[in-house]
Amino acid sequence: MSLRQLRADHLKKRADTALQEGNYREAYQRYTESIQFGESKQGLYKTYSNRSLAYGRAQRYVEALHDAQKTIELAPSWPKGYWRLGTAFLGLKQITQAIDAFAKCWHLDHGSPDTERQLLAAIQKATVAHLAAGIMALLVEAEQQHAIEPARLEGVGQAEQQEAWFRHLTREQEGPTQADVYRRHYMQWLKQPMRAHTAYIQRACMGLQAKCYLQARWDAEQAVTMLASQLKVVMTGVSEVGIDRASNVEHELCEAYWRLGQAFTAEHDHPDQDHRQAAKALSRAKDLAPHHNQILLEVQEAKTHLTLQQLAEVANEVHEEAAELGLTLQHPLALGILGTTQGKQHTFRLQGNLWFPQAELAKFIAAARTQLRSCLAGFVDLPTSSVTIEGLKSGQCSAQPSPAVQLAKTDNTDNNCSKSSKHGTHEAAEASGSRWTTNSAAAGVTVAVHIQLGSAEEQGKQLVAALQSAPETVVRDDNLLAAVGMPARPSLPAAVINLNPGPSNTFIDEPRKSERAQAGTMAPSAQLVEIPRPKLEMVVPYKQYKLVRADGSAPERTKKHPFCMSRVHYSAADRGEEVWAEVGDGSCRWTQTASEVTLLCLGVPPHTPAKQLQVTLDPYFIKVVDKVSDEVYLEGHLERGIVPEESVWEHGGGVGENGCLLYLHKMNLQLLRKEWQHSETWWPRLFQHHHPIQWDDYDKDYSDLPLQIMRKHACQEALQDAERQIENEEKQERARLQDQDDKRKQTRQARLKALRVCASGSFDRMQPAWKHAVACTSN
């Protein structure tokens, strides 16, 4: 071993000792000397790794990043190099790059728990914008690897895609239990590639926010096709593993149907809106997740746009496709059963609405409702428990369309059902016309009833006919007739709906002719096809500027208030994270308080000497120019005036806050005439040619208002606090007087009760009440 090698090893040991003792400066200096003395190539990558660690703990993250990259260059398959790289990126607040580095480290380290925890910690630090960018990258990777077809029906630019992802993730994380759902999903997708059906669902979510409804529809249909075939395969087994797998596939299939329904729903008056297909897809999602509140609301909203005939057709198609999968409205998973059902009978349900024109809501007491249930159950020879009164409404059902008594059929059988019920479905649908509404201005009460008929289809039809022609043969209880009267005659038109007429040859809706022509372009082609824009454009904010931190990293975007309100701080201690506005051309980055504008000139090269710069500060104009090259780095007319004598500038020769900084003291002439209106000190833009900054983009800092104005504000706040304190004391006094008055009333009632007992002549019963009254009086 040469002398230089021995010297290098000695310096490395000293650096290791200094690093363990927390002397990071000495550590990275000794590591540097060791490298200069000729560290052996065999262990050189470890020396760079250790020096990166020392730089990182000394918060010199740029040097730490360079050493981490050198470590990876020397040892590409060593996991710790990517660990160092991720740590350096975290220090530089480049969260997306840090997550990618830790994900690579996890794969090289064979799923180490320490690496997984570090990866999760990095994902937790990511903003919603970081998550959006990461998921977009995963979808692009899936397209490049031909796992999914690229979007060709509709498309938007990258900025619009990122904004769409931001809106989707923000909406998904609004609930208290949904805050970290996408973070967990993102971590799982980093460890294992996103499956094709999952990628299609996620791209459909983005398309919905970007108003690419045709593309979202196609993506959701692809996911439904894949998941439906998977569910049919999984449901052939009966093991616990099969049950768990079926539950997972069922959950994903529900989301695919949900996104498909939203794509058909589109938005109000959109040319691609289709309420019928939306109701169909959302009904399938509801069958798979019957307790999902949002899906239930969207199903009801979609159905309000359909007639009763259309609803019947939608119900038929839903059950046809359920039969194709071997499912029923009550999913076999809910019963703890997997596989298709065979040899079971049909189950029928009657839904009806009866109008009692002479009744009042007050007369429909529990006894009357029980008597009505007994009459209906007795007519079909069923127990009273099979009849349910769903609700009571004041008023009469509208004549056009009339209320319907529906005979609904749910499937508990195989696909070989009778074809005779299909004809009854269409006849009833044509007779009914459309959905019914209630006229609350009319007299009487409308009663909605459900009857579980089981296999008694004929009895149900006879009850429907009797209610239409002769309701007196059904309602025969004298007490009920005396209380609420007879239902109106002729009674309600009937609609017999067969929800499962037979198997279907297709599972997915055939696209309409216009969509079928577009869907043909989805096949891979060697020709370049221009992707059309959506029919309605999405409004994308931050095109002319963006919100960043002082170092250029993206902060978490604030949740916008409907009335464009923002928080105001009169104390520097209460301020949140400082947010800067960076102009779209990248020339400058600026932030402000009530009295000062801090401006960072980004165009100045880092190592330019300060004496080489010429900075002009006029009341309404500033200019930064290089004396040698005459290059203008920044120039413009200010939105409002400044005080040049109290404005300064500096150049640290670096980047970010170590670069060329200008501190501009605001003139604030507006406060001379409106000293109480502190918002007048806030500049909407820096230069007159810049795009205005939205008012609610970040909080307002009024902590450095002029002293005399701050004193007046403090006095006003003190007066308001005193008024609030007086109001609070008066409120407490009123509450105390109210309590006294309540106690007085209670005492008076107790005395009156004692006197009534005394007047009855029973001294034995009077004595306890009198003692209680005396006790209340003494209290």
Side-chain angles (χ1 to χ4, degrees):
M1 183 179 294
S2 64
L3 183 61
R4 293 179 61 86
Q5 186 65 41
L6 291 174
R7 178 65 174 168
D9 291 344
H10 174 69
L11 291 171
K12 183 178 179 181
K13 291 179 181 179
R14 288 182 57 186
D16 293 340
T17 303
L19 184 60
Q20 293 175 0
E21 293 176 354
N23 191 350
Y24 306 124
R25 181 177 182 181
E26 182 181 355
Y28 64 69
Q29 288 176 349
R30 299 291 85 81
Y31 282 128
T32 302
E33 294 175 0
S34 174
I35 294 173
Q36 292 173 350
F37 268 94
E39 173 75 20
S40 62
K41 293 184 178 181
Q42 185 177 1
L44 186 59
Y45 68 94
K46 294 185 179 179
T47 304
Y48 276 109
S49 174
N50 291 339
R51 191 172 72 168
S52 176
L53 175 61
Y55 276 134
R57 293 186 177 178
Q59 297 185 359
R60 299 183 60 173
Y61 298 113
V62 176
E63 293 85 350
L65 177 63
H66 292 161
D67 281 355
Q69 292 172 340
K70 187 65 176 179
T71 303
I72 295 173
E73 180 183 347
L74 295 173
S77 60
W78 193 44
K80 190 168 289 187
Y82 290 95
W83 181 290
R84 299 283 184 248
L85 185 66
T87 304
F89 277 130
L90 281 181
L92 294 172
K93 296 181 180 179
Q94 299 179 18
I95 307 299
T96 304
Q97 294 86 337
I99 293 173
D100 293 339
F102 285 122
K104 182 67 175 178
C105 179
W106 184 86
H107 286 287
L108 292 174
D109 207 12
H110 306 291
S112 169
D114 294 336
T115 309
E116 185 169 349
R117 284 192 293 269
Q118 191 69 11
L119 175 60
L120 180 60
I123 294 175
Q124 294 294 341
K125 293 181 180 179
T127 63
V128 177
H130 290 144
L131 287 178
I135 297 175
M136 281 178 57
L138 292 177
L139 289 178
V140 171
E141 182 180 355
E143 292 179 3
Q144 293 174 349
Q145 295 178 355
H146 305 289
I148 61 174
E149 292 288 339
R152 291 192 177 93
L153 291 182
E154 288 176 324
V156 293
Q158 185 174 2
E160 293 167 297
Q161 290 184 32
Q162 189 155 0
E163 177 63 23
W165 269 115
F166 176 83
R167 295 181 184 181
H168 172 68
L169 295 178
T170 302
R171 180 175 298 182
E172 289 295 311
Q173 296 181 7
E174 287 180 352
T177 61
Q178 302 292 329
D180 296 326
V181 169
Y182 258 94
R183 297 182 190 274
R184 293 195 298 268
H185 288 335
Y186 183 46
M187 183 172 179
Q188 187 65 30
W189 296 334
L190 288 172
K191 294 191 296 184
Q192 296 179 358
M194 190 183 298
R195 296 185 177 182
H197 60 263
T198 304
Y200 279 125
I201 291 175
Q202 298 307 315
R203 196 169 69 181
C205 294
M206 184 274 295
L208 290 172
Q209 297 299 323
K211 300 187 178 183
C212 299
Y213 297 115
L214 288 179
Q215 184 63 50
R217 190 179 302 176
W218 190 89
D219 290 335
E221 286 178 346
Q222 300 307 305
V224 167
T225 304
M226 296 177 181
L227 291 167
S229 60
Q230 291 182 23
L231 189 60
K232 291 176 67 176
V233 173
V234 171
M235 291 181 64
T236 57
V238 294
S239 63
E240 294 183 0
V241 177
I243 295 176
D244 295 337
R245 176 60 182 152
S247 298
N248 295 333
V249 175
E250 181 190 40
H251 176 76
E252 292 181 297
L253 182 60
C254 172
E255 184 175 5
Y257 275 133
W258 185 19
R259 303 308 177 189
L260 180 60
Q262 290 177 335
F264 278 114
T265 303
E267 57 186 85
H268 184 63
D269 291 336
H270 194 278
D272 295 329
Q273 194 176 46
D274 190 336
H275 293 297
R276 185 180 182 280
Q277 297 298 333
K280 183 177 176 180
L282 293 172
S283 296
R284 301 173 195 160
K286 180 179 71 69
D287 290 340
L288 294 170
H291 303 295
H292 196 296
N293 294 330
Q294 185 61 32
I295 294 178
L296 294 176
L297 291 175
E298 293 182 15
V299 169
Q300 295 300 324
E301 175 63 23
K303 288 183 177 180
T304 58
H305 300 278
L306 303 180
T307 65
L308 189 59
Q309 179 178 356
Q310 292 173 326
L311 289 175
E313 294 173 354
V314 167
N316 288 337
E317 294 170 2
V318 169
H319 277 260
E320 287 175 5
E321 295 167 1
E324 180 73 14
L325 279 179
L327 303 176
T328 63
L329 273 181
Q330 189 173 12
H331 197 278
L333 292 175
L335 303 174
I337 302 172
L338 281 174
T340 59
T341 58
Q342 296 182 356
K344 295 186 179 180
Q345 295 180 344
H346 295 295
T347 300
F348 296 90
R349 184 179 67 252
L350 185 147
Q351 298 176 202
N353 302 284
L354 309 179
W355 178 48
F356 293 82
Q358 302 174 359
E360 298 178 0
L361 279 177
K363 295 183 178 180
F364 261 101
I365 59 177
R369 296 195 297 270
T370 302
Q371 292 163 358
L372 177 60
R373 292 171 57 205
S374 299
C375 292
L376 296 174
F379 189 89
V380 291
D381 294 329
L382 292 174
T384 307
S385 58
S386 62
V387 181
T388 303
I389 295 181
E390 292 294 324
L392 305 172
K393 290 184 180 180
S394 297
Q396 176 189 6
C397 298
S398 61
Q400 295 293 334
S402 299
V405 179
Q406 302 177 352
L407 188 62
K409 170 183 171 183
T410 58
D411 175 39
N412 284 327
T413 184
D414 56 2
N415 295 333
N416 298 322
C417 59
S418 174
K419 296 182 180 179
S420 60
S421 58
K422 181 184 297 186
H423 303 288
T425 299
H426 295 292
E427 293 172 2
E430 293 172 0
S432 60
S434 62
R435 54 189 172 88
W436 65 276
T437 57
T438 301
N439 181 11
S440 58
V445 175
T446 299
V447 183
V449 296
H450 286 186
I451 303 177
Q452 298 297 335
L453 298 172
S455 59
E457 179 183 9
E458 292 301 325
Q459 292 89 327
K461 291 182 178 180
Q462 293 174 7
L463 176 59
V464 169
L467 289 174
Q468 291 177 352
S469 59
E472 62 275 6
T473 61
V474 179
V475 182
R476 295 180 294 180
D477 189 284
D478 295 335
N479 295 328
L480 178 62
L481 293 175
V484 299
M486 181 67 66
R489 187 176 55 177
S491 191
L492 310 177
V496 179
I497 301 175
N498 181 2
L499 299 180
N500 189 19
S504 174
N505 295 327
T506 59
F507 182 77
I508 303 299
D509 296 327
E510 286 293 330
R512 293 174 296 184
K513 293 183 179 179
S514 59
E515 296 176 17
R516 188 183 298 112
Q518 292 177 322
T521 64
M522 297 302 295
S525 175
Q527 300 179 354
L528 295 177
V529 180
E530 182 180 357
I531 303 176
R533 298 279 302 178
K535 296 178 177 64
L536 297 180
E537 294 290 335
M538 179 180 64
V539 178
V540 180
Y542 307 116
K543 285 186 175 181
Q544 306 297 329
Y545 67 94
K546 61 180 179 179
L547 302 179
V548 297
R549 299 187 179 96
D551 58 359
S553 60
E556 186 68 85
R557 280 168 58 175
T558 58
K559 187 176 181 181
K560 296 289 186 175
H561 192 276
F563 299 103
C564 296
M565 300 178 65
S566 62
R567 298 189 62 182
V568 174
H569 303 282
Y570 285 93
S571 174
D574 298 336
R575 290 184 303 179
E577 183 181 22
E578 189 178 46
V579 178
W580 297 57
E582 183 173 323
V583 185
D585 58 5
S587 60
C588 64
R589 185 183 301 154
W590 68 289
T591 187
Q592 61 177 320
T593 61
S595 299
E596 186 178 70
V597 172
T598 305
L599 173 62
L600 176 60
C601 184
L602 300 176
V604 179
H607 302 293
T608 303
K611 61 182 180 180
Q612 190 175 329
L613 298 176
Q614 180 180 350
V615 180
T616 303
L617 299 177
D618 291 336
Y620 290 94
F621 177 80
I622 63 173
K623 184 177 182 179
V624 180
V625 64
D626 193 311
K627 296 179 182 179
V628 178
S629 62
D630 292 333
E631 182 179 358
V632 178
Y633 298 122
L634 187 65
E635 181 181 16
H637 293 274
L638 296 171
E639 174 70 12
R640 296 179 184 173
I642 62 172
V643 182
E645 295 78 11
E646 299 182 14
S647 302
V648 297
W649 68 277
E650 65 177 0
H651 181 52
V655 295
E657 292 182 292
N658 293 323
C660 183
L661 277 169
L662 287 73
Y663 301 94
L664 310 177
H665 188 82
K666 293 181 178 180
M667 198 177 292
N668 281 339
L669 297 178
Q670 294 79 9
L671 291 179
L672 296 179
R673 65 176 185 270
K674 295 181 180 180
E675 61 182 18
W676 65 89
Q677 198 163 350
H678 303 159
S679 60
E680 292 293 327
T681 64
W682 210 253
W683 289 13
R685 72 192 90 195
L686 178 63
F687 293 139
Q688 294 179 4
H689 64 274
H690 283 173
H691 190 275
I693 308 297
Q694 295 184 24
W695 175 259
D696 56 347
D697 272 341
Y698 45 79
D699 295 352
K700 309 297 180 292
D701 181 10
Y702 297 154
S703 61
D704 60 346
L705 283 168
L707 183 60
Q708 62 274 20
I709 295 180
M710 285 295 290
R711 287 177 178 173
K712 290 183 179 180
H713 174 73
C715 292
Q716 184 179 4
E717 287 293 318
L719 291 174
Q720 291 179 356
D721 290 342
E723 291 177 358
R724 284 192 289 266
Q725 184 176 0
I726 293 174
E727 290 178 358
N728 188 32
E729 292 176 354
E730 291 177 351
K731 182 178 179 180
Q732 293 178 355
E733 180 65 18
R734 287 195 297 269
R736 187 183 64 82
L737 294 176
Q738 183 66 36
D739 290 341
Q740 289 183 354
D741 188 55
D742 292 341
K743 291 181 180 179
R744 182 185 61 80
K745 290 179 180 179
Q746 292 176 2
T747 302
R748 182 172 178 271
Q749 294 295 329
R751 289 176 176 175
L752 290 175
K753 182 178 180 180
L755 291 175
R756 286 194 295 268
V757 173
C758 182
S760 64
S762 176
F763 181 78
D764 294 337
R765 288 182 297 171
M766 177 195 71
Q767 189 173 5
W770 180 259
K771 289 182 179 180
H772 176 68
V774 172
C776 293
T777 305
S778 62
N779 291 335

